[in-house]
Structures are given as structure tokens and as C-alpha cells.
Amino acid sequence: MSTIIVIPARYASSRYPGKPLALLLGPDGVHKPLIQHTWQAARRVHGIDAVYIATDDKRIAKVAKGFGAKVVLTSKTCRNGTERCAEAIRNVGITPDVVVNLQGDAPLTPSWFIEELVTELSLRGKFGVATPVLRHSAETLSDFVLDRSLNRIGGTTAVFASDGRALYFSKEKLPASSSSMKNSTNQPPIVFHHIGVYAYRPSALADYMRWGEGWLEQAEGLEQLRFLENGEPIPLFGDGSSSRDYSFISDIVKGVLAATERDHGYRIYNLGGAGQTSLIELTGHIAACLGKEARCERLPDQAGDVPRTFADIRRASEELGYSPQVR
């Protein structure tokens, strides 16, 4: 079975123009573009035949080629990462068995997470696309509800049928039970967080382009809804009960990288389970995690928990040998 990873990357962004080229300090003490960190993470995934960076921008293409990546140019008309993946394999002229869409701002995605995603799709021969979910903990669910109450849009939730097929995705909390409601085991409401990495079959990508943008996709701003609107089932996997918890690392990275230049790294972000912190405080800590094994499950500190204060983050970073700095 042939499998490739496509990393969609665009320069234009309302929150952070040029984000793929933002420099992050690596564990080797060298500042590298975000897109390079993600590319290196993709190359650590077992069973992958090729990794491509798909971009519509010559600046990103030049930098990516400079660090040795395979680059495929796509049009500026691509509305989302799925369209860019579809266009990329068409432009390269290949038809792999599976195409993985790894977001360009997700360098801390564990290798095993992608490997299990590919396995899930390969075992479900009748499906054309698959994507993972994790169950919200009480803490992350509380943070999600708080964000929405403050009109901050970030994570995505998903609901699914008894056979694991997705019923709907939303940037609102689904199901809309009270955040204080407890089930029979006194646990928080069952709410699943969608992780935005996908595995597709080329035929599903071709269909996706043929259908065009749907009204639910447009209303929610969620690309995967185009599949559901056109009757294409999406099997979901992962229930969050595994000890190899993804810990919402990708959301943490996105929050950190959402800063604009005028913030100079000092803008404060609510990072879910990691509490509140600033870009300048977290950079060294993220760099430390980049230096861990591919199965790094949580932001590391000496106590074993995710650090929750500026002082905790600074101390943990310094103990690990990384200075909290940005460029």
C-alpha cells in the first residue's frame, strides 16, 4: 500500500500572515520555520512513501525546497487543506492508496497518531476518508465552553453513530447538554474533540472537488462537512481513553502561533489544559517537546503535569536547557 503525506501551507492568513515561515527555536538551538518542523515530524512517520508540501506561495516554496522538501505548487483558489491535497496529487500526477492531510501548523502531532489513522482507513475498505476524535476531559470541556461563552472560536466537536460514523461536526459544543450535567458515573458530559488530521483515498478527493462547497461547510467553516453533505460517510476513531493521550498538543501550538507581529510574543492565550500563557513564555517549552521522541504525549516538565503558570513554564524550559525566546 502506498501512502503519502501532504502538508498544505498558505501564506495568506487573517490572524498571522506568513505563519508557515514563523521561526521556532529547535532543540538543537537553531531557529527553523514552522513548516520545516512539521515536515520533519511527517518524515518520522513509519510507512510513508513521500512527504509533499503543497503551497500557493513562492516564498514558502523557496524555503521548503531549501531544507530539502518536495514541493508542489497549487492554485490560490483552494478554499481549504482538503482541496489543496486534491490539487497536489493531481499536479504531481500520482495516485497513492492513501493521502494524509497533515496541517502545516501541527509539528507536534505524534507519529503513532498518523500511523493509526492510516491503519484505520486501510481496514475500512468501503470508506474514502477517516479522521480521529478524542473525548474531552472535564478540564478541556470547561475551557471549550468558556471560550465559546466569550465568543472565541477554536476547537471542533463531533457526534457519531453507534458504528462510529460521523453524524456532524461543529464549532459549538455537541451535544448541547449543560456543562454541569453529570452522567451515572459522575463524569462530565460525553463530548468529543475533533483532531484535524485526515486520511483520504484519491477517489474521495476527486469527489470532493467535483461537489463544490456546501452550505453547511460554509456556515460552520469546516471542510469535512462537504463529505457529509454529499452522503460520504466519515468513520471516526479514538475515544480518548488510551494512555497515549494526544493532549490537544496541536491546539496548543495553534494558539501559540496565532500571535501577530505587533504582539511581540506577549499576547496572552487560553491554551486549554495548559492554562494561560504567552507566546514568548511557551516557545522554549514547545522547542523542548520538539526534541522528545515521536511519542511525546504531554508537554514535559519535572513534575509530570502540564505547567500552568509563566514561572512553571520558564523553570521547566530552563531545566530542560531551552531558553524561552522568539524571533
Side-chain angles (χ1 to χ4, degrees):
M1 182 181 73
S2 60
T3 303
I4 68 167
I5 293 176
V6 177
I7 305 172
R10 65 189 186 100
Y11 193 92
S13 170
S14 58
R15 293 189 305 176
Y16 192 165
K19 181 167 66 171
L21 301 183
L23 296 175
L24 287 181
L25 180 65
D28 55 0
V30 178
H31 286 85
K32 298 176 184 177
L34 169 63
I35 192 68
Q36 184 173 357
H37 285 300
T38 303
W39 174 76
Q40 289 174 332
R43 284 169 54 85
R44 290 194 291 267
V45 180
H46 295 296
I48 300 299
D49 297 287
V51 177
Y52 294 89
I53 293 176
T55 184
D56 60 2
D57 190 90
K58 292 181 179 179
R59 289 163 291 189
I60 295 175
K62 180 179 179 180
V63 169
K65 289 178 180 177
F67 58 71
K70 295 181 179 180
V71 177
V72 53
L73 290 174
T74 54
S75 68
K76 295 184 181 295
T77 59
C78 291
R79 284 170 286 211
N80 54 53
T82 302
E83 288 194 359
R84 204 170 299 281
C85 287
E87 193 171 298
I89 63 170
R90 184 189 67 194
N91 291 353
V92 175
I94 57 175
T95 309
D97 295 304
V98 175
V99 179
V100 174
N101 174 354
L102 176 62
Q103 296 184 25
D105 57 359
L108 300 183
T109 304
S111 297
W112 62 263
F113 209 72
I114 299 174
E115 291 160 8
E116 290 185 3
L117 173 62
V118 172
T119 298
E120 285 292 325
L121 184 60
S122 65
L123 293 175
R124 301 168 183 255
K126 64 179 181 180
F127 294 105
V129 56
T131 191
V133 293
L134 292 175
R135 182 173 174 176
H136 268 295
S137 66
E139 185 176 19
T140 59
L141 179 57
S142 176
D143 289 330
F144 181 89
V145 172
L146 175 61
D147 282 346
R148 293 305 297 121
S149 70
L150 297 174
N151 203 32
R152 293 196 294 249
I153 297 177
T156 298
T157 63
V159 289
F160 47 91
S162 58
D163 62 359
R165 288 181 297 171
L167 296 175
Y168 197 67
F169 299 87
S170 179
K171 291 182 178 177
E172 300 292 343
K173 182 171 74 71
L174 295 178
S177 56
S178 168
S179 61
S180 62
M181 184 183 298
K182 301 287 185 178
N183 60 26
S184 59
T185 58
N186 203 36
Q187 295 298 309
I190 298 175
V191 178
F192 286 85
H193 172 80
H194 174 235
I195 306 299
V197 57
Y198 303 89
Y200 320 98
R201 299 190 194 281
S203 58
L205 288 174
D207 288 339
Y208 189 90
M209 297 298 285
R210 177 173 55 82
W211 292 324
E213 187 177 31
W215 76 272
L216 288 175
E217 171 191 359
Q218 189 174 39
E220 290 272 9
L222 296 174
E223 61 197 277
Q224 65 270 33
L225 287 175
R226 190 183 306 184
F227 288 110
L228 298 186
E229 287 186 79
N230 288 277
E232 177 71 34
I234 303 176
L236 306 180
F237 79 94
D239 61 6
S241 62
S242 170
S243 61
R244 295 187 305 175
D245 188 5
Y246 186 71
S247 300
F248 305 97
I249 285 177
S250 63
D251 284 345
I252 291 173
V253 175
K254 289 175 188 177
V256 169
L257 292 168
T260 58
E261 289 184 5
R262 68 176 179 274
D263 294 313
H264 300 295
Y266 290 99
R267 184 173 179 178
I268 304 301
Y269 293 96
N270 181 353
L271 300 181
Q276 290 189 336
T277 189
S278 66
L279 172 61
I280 200 167
E281 293 285 353
L282 258 179
T283 301
H285 207 66
I286 287 179
C289 198
L290 285 169
K292 294 292 181 178
E293 297 179 355
R295 291 178 184 268
C296 174
E297 295 157 8
R298 294 189 180 277
L299 294 176
D301 75 345
Q302 300 305 309
D305 280 329
V306 176
R308 300 178 184 283
T309 68
F310 292 172
D312 289 341
I313 292 169
R314 183 188 298 111
R315 182 173 61 254
S317 297
E318 291 174 350
E319 287 175 353
L320 289 164
Y322 300 96
S323 58
Q325 58 180 299
V326 293
R327 284 185 59 187

